[in-house]
Amino acid sequence: MPKVVDADQRRSELADAAAHVIARSGIDGASLREVAAEAGWTTGALVHYFANKQELLAFTLQASLDRRRSRHADRASLSPSAALHDILRSALPITPETTLHWIVTLAFAAQSSADANLAAIQRAAYLDFRDTVSALVAVERRARDAAD
């Protein structure tokens, strides 16, 4: 019986490996061969999930951003003030996870000047973050004004 493979899980594993290679060696050092080796796979197995390096890079950036965004759902039960505090704290590189996210994000910022697809992903993520923080600040400001 053939082994059932979760393609989404495999793509996520490869994106994690790519993020670690990027953090260690930069985007130029994140060759398909290096990423495959980091994941414990062959390059042939990697190209089954990603057609080329650009596709892998875009997925890796999006996966890093999606992990950061997934915390937004956890804030739904918090007060606006607590949610604002949490989102700003989580944006700082103070844990291994957030440090890796920011190393990857900064590497992609440099790469985005030459890649419109990566630039669009980063721009959308920045606008989402800015809008979320702005909305929380506005709610907090209205609450403080009402209390005065």
Side-chain angles (χ1 to χ4, degrees), residues 2-137:
K3 183 178 179 181
V4 177
V5 175
D6 183 340
D8 291 335
Q9 178 64 31
R10 290 283 171 96
R11 288 172 62 87
S12 292
E13 290 170 9
L14 288 165
D16 288 344
H20 285 92
V21 172
I22 290 167
R24 184 175 59 246
S25 304
I27 288 181
D28 289 340
S31 67
L32 295 180
R33 180 181 297 141
E34 287 299 316
V35 172
E38 177 77 16
W41 294 16
T42 65
T43 305
L46 185 147
V47 298
H48 178 74
Y49 296 97
F50 296 99
N52 53 45
K53 182 177 176 177
Q54 288 71 30
E55 188 178 312
L56 171 63
L57 291 176
F59 187 86
T60 300
L61 174 58
Q62 192 63 58
S64 181
L65 294 167
D66 289 345
R67 273 191 297 280
R68 184 180 57 84
R69 282 188 195 119
S70 70
R71 290 194 39 131
H72 292 300
D74 298 339
R75 294 183 187 102
S77 64
L78 299 176
S79 71
S81 178
L84 180 60
H85 178 78
D86 187 62
I87 196 169
L88 293 174
R89 186 175 22 84
S90 72
L92 298 172
I94 56 177
T95 67
E97 180 184 340
T98 57
T99 299
L100 178 63
H101 168 73
W102 278 109
I103 291 170
V104 169
T105 298
L106 291 174
F108 278 110
Q111 190 73 16
S112 292
S113 65
D115 187 318
N117 184 43
L118 294 177
I121 293 169
Q122 283 205 312
R123 186 171 31 263
Y126 168 75
L127 292 173
D128 178 57
F129 180 77
R130 184 194 67 188
D131 291 348
T132 300
V133 170
S134 295
L136 289 169
V137 167

